[in-house]
Amino acid sequence: MTTLEPSQPGISMADKIALIDRICGQARILPVITIAREQDILPLADALAAGGLKTLEVTLRSEHGLTAIRLLREQRPELCVGAGTVLDRSMLAAVEQAGAQFVVTPGCTQDILEAGVESPLPLLPGISSASEIMMGYALGYRRFKLFPAEISGGAAAIKAFGGPFGEVRFCPTGGVNPGNVKQYMALANVMCVGGTWMLDSSWIKNGEWARVQACSAQALALLD
């Protein structure tokens, strides 16, 4: 089992935190993907990977989300493929069966947080307030997605959270772009960022995979 593979049932929260750290540390920028057409799954993933983005969050915002996760795990085992927009236990169970290697939620409820504790997959809960961090913290979570990041206070909010929550680190998503990505990544309590600016819908619709690749490479170059 590689360091990016899901662990077996009974994995501790500490081990899940360490796994999230490895996943996010390798990713730095996590493309948040919504698949509109099944035919785009492999060429889009290949273009992102060619640009250096090899850790992907495939959302369940379309009917092709689970198909994409299954196909990528089967056909592109070198990539790290997570599931996004997971809203409840049934969706969590579905992405586990599809082979997702990590799970991201846009928000948190007590039920989904508890389901994440029970799951063999590491879960990155979405939060936008200190109270939500505390809900997760009480169950052992120390890694969160700030969403929607810019609307929820952006880099200033994450810096402020560092005071009361010294052990917590974040993946800000929502409004992250080439103009502010360095500001986020400069924060000690940011482990990676989620973004969509390398996923222009017209490029994907027209099969302009070279543009996706170039934009992905440029995104990573901003952090060097």
Side-chain angles (χ1 to χ4, degrees):
M1 181 168 58
T2 71
T3 58
L4 295 182
E5 287 297 319
S7 298
Q8 298 301 312
I11 180 176
S12 70
M13 286 298 287
D15 287 340
K16 290 180 184 178
I17 291 167
L19 186 53
I20 284 287
D21 284 346
R22 288 198 293 273
I23 290 169
C24 291
Q26 291 184 26
R28 296 198 293 167
I29 297 175
L30 185 64
V32 181
I33 303 165
T34 300
I35 298 294
R37 302 179 303 188
E38 190 171 340
Q39 69 200 56
D40 296 330
I41 296 170
L42 292 178
L44 175 57
D46 289 343
L48 291 166
L53 300 180
K54 299 181 180 181
T55 302
L56 314 178
E57 177 187 334
V58 179
T59 74
L60 302 191
R61 297 181 189 180
S62 82
E63 62 181 317
H64 304 297
L66 290 174
T67 299
I69 292 168
R70 283 192 293 265
L71 184 63
L72 290 170
R73 293 291 287 128
E74 292 169 0
Q75 300 294 324
R76 299 295 185 270
E78 70 277 12
L79 302 180
C80 181
V81 182
T85 321
V86 174
L87 305 180
D88 56 33
R89 282 180 180 266
S90 64
M91 295 173 81
L92 178 58
V95 300
E96 286 181 14
Q97 291 184 344
Q101 292 163 283
F102 63 96
V103 179
V104 186
T105 68
C108 62
T109 63
Q110 190 70 24
D111 190 55
I112 195 66
L113 290 172
E114 291 174 356
V117 172
E118 299 162 9
S119 173
L121 300 181
L123 186 146
L124 192 64
I127 60 91
S128 60
S129 71
S131 295
E132 291 169 316
I133 295 173
M134 290 174 68
M135 283 176 58
Y137 197 96
L139 291 174
Y141 291 92
R142 297 295 184 270
R143 304 293 183 261
F144 298 91
K145 164 181 163 176
L146 178 65
F147 179 81
E150 281 291 284
I151 295 173
S152 301
I158 293 175
K159 185 176 181 180
F161 285 144
F165 304 112
E167 295 179 74
V168 171
R169 298 179 72 198
F170 299 92
C171 171
T173 305
V176 181
N177 58 57
N180 60 25
V181 64
K182 291 181 71 172
Q183 182 183 15
Y184 279 109
M185 288 297 290
L187 297 173
N189 56 347
V190 168
M191 53 188 175
C192 69
V193 301
T196 60
W197 73 90
M198 68 294 298
L199 299 165
D200 187 283
S201 60
S202 66
W203 301 347
I204 297 171
K205 181 179 180 180
N206 296 325
E208 298 181 65
W209 308 121
R211 298 186 74 173
V212 174
Q213 177 182 340
C215 190
S216 300
Q218 290 162 8
L220 284 174
L222 291 171
L223 306 182
D224 294 335

